[in-house]
Amino acid sequence: MKKLAIRSKKVLFKFSSLEKKHKIITYISLLFLTVSTYFLRTENQNVKVNYAILKEESSNLKYNMVLFNRNYEGFPLPVWQKIKKGNEFIIQYINPEYVKEFGHIFNNDKYELLGKNNFELFPDKIAQEYFVHDITVSKTGKKIEGLEKVVDKHGNIITLKVIKWRKIKSNKDTLVYGMVKEILPYTETNK
């Protein structure tokens, strides 16, 4: 037993002296960290490339939706299109007149609005009202006309006369279109 303890001490002493002379543990640790950093940097670059690709594809899809709906580009009334995904209605298209009338809600950048649902853009009460009308149109397939509210440039809630209709694309996607027929002037009773 005593011999084993002496041998252990000798091995530890030799290892300690080697470490002091050549800094083996330090260099091994540095090598490990260098290799790890290299692989992390490579992985980070791959993530950045994939992110840029997805961002570009997203931008192209949004642009293509505008081209697909170019019939409404010159239309004199605000028009929008939403697609039903699960239990949400995602905005896919708005025409220039919509941006002109309601652009203050999304900094006048139509691409900032695309891909978002009502609850991400509007106060809950207004978003719920939109959702009820959208779900009614998508389920029944009937055109509906009614009143909806929106916040104007001055922060007042105003009333809109809208019409909504449904279109089913390729027996898969349910598209809900909407158009503002008239913007009613603000009155104190609109609250």
Side-chain angles (χ1 to χ4, degrees):
M1 190 74 159
K2 199 172 186 183
K3 286 184 178 180
L4 184 61
I6 294 172
R7 280 190 179 174
S8 297
K9 284 182 183 177
K10 284 182 180 179
V11 169
L12 283 173
F13 180 72
K14 281 188 178 189
F15 187 75
S16 176
S17 66
L18 276 174
E19 172 58 27
K20 286 178 184 173
K21 284 183 184 176
H22 302 291
K23 307 277 187 216
I24 293 173
I25 293 176
T26 304
Y27 291 128
I28 289 173
S29 299
L30 284 174
L31 179 64
F32 174 75
L33 289 172
T34 303
V35 170
S36 297
T37 303
Y38 173 77
F39 285 118
L40 285 173
R41 184 175 294 147
T42 302
E43 186 177 326
N44 189 23
Q45 290 299 327
N46 291 339
V47 168
K48 284 181 180 178
V49 167
N50 290 340
Y51 174 75
I53 290 170
L54 287 173
K55 192 172 180 181
E56 184 66 28
E57 286 176 358
S58 174
S59 177
N60 288 338
L61 285 172
K62 289 176 181 178
Y63 180 73
N64 288 340
M65 283 312 303
V66 171
L67 287 178
F68 175 74
N69 289 297
R70 66 184 169 267
N71 302 357
Y72 299 109
E73 286 294 298
F75 201 70
L77 297 172
V79 175
W80 65 91
Q81 176 198 69
K82 299 176 189 173
I83 185 167
K84 185 176 188 293
K85 294 286 184 187
N87 229 9
E88 293 183 328
F89 291 90
I90 310 297
I91 296 174
Q92 281 197 150
Y93 171 76
I94 56 173
N95 72 344
E97 192 63 28
Y98 188 96
V99 174
K100 182 178 150 192
E101 292 294 335
F102 308 110
H104 61 278
I105 297 170
F106 47 90
N107 300 323
N108 293 311
D109 180 7
K110 75 184 328 180
Y111 296 108
E112 186 178 310
L113 178 72
L114 301 181
K116 295 187 178 176
N117 67 33
N118 297 329
F119 293 95
E120 294 174 302
L121 298 166
F122 305 104
D124 287 344
K125 188 175 179 182
I126 292 174
Q128 184 62 35
E129 184 180 309
Y130 293 172
F131 177 79
V132 168
H133 291 162
D134 292 343
I135 199 81
T136 302
V137 169
S138 73
K139 295 289 183 190
T140 65
K142 294 180 181 175
K143 173 182 76 169
I144 65 166
E145 293 186 44
L147 300 175
E148 289 185 350
K149 307 254 188 256
V150 73
V151 179
D152 71 1
K153 295 174 186 172
H154 308 292
N156 300 317
I157 296 178
I158 58 173
T159 304
L160 309 171
K161 286 185 179 181
V162 298
I163 182 170
K164 291 186 174 186
W165 66 96
R166 176 186 84 176
K167 178 179 176 185
I168 296 181
K169 189 171 99 180
S170 306
N171 292 326
K172 288 183 182 178
D173 295 330
T174 301
L175 304 176
V176 175
Y177 285 88
M179 177 178 65
V180 176
K181 291 173 51 177
E182 184 181 351
I183 300 172
L184 301 176
Y186 172 73
T187 62
E188 288 295 320
T189 59
N190 281 355
K191 288 185 177 183

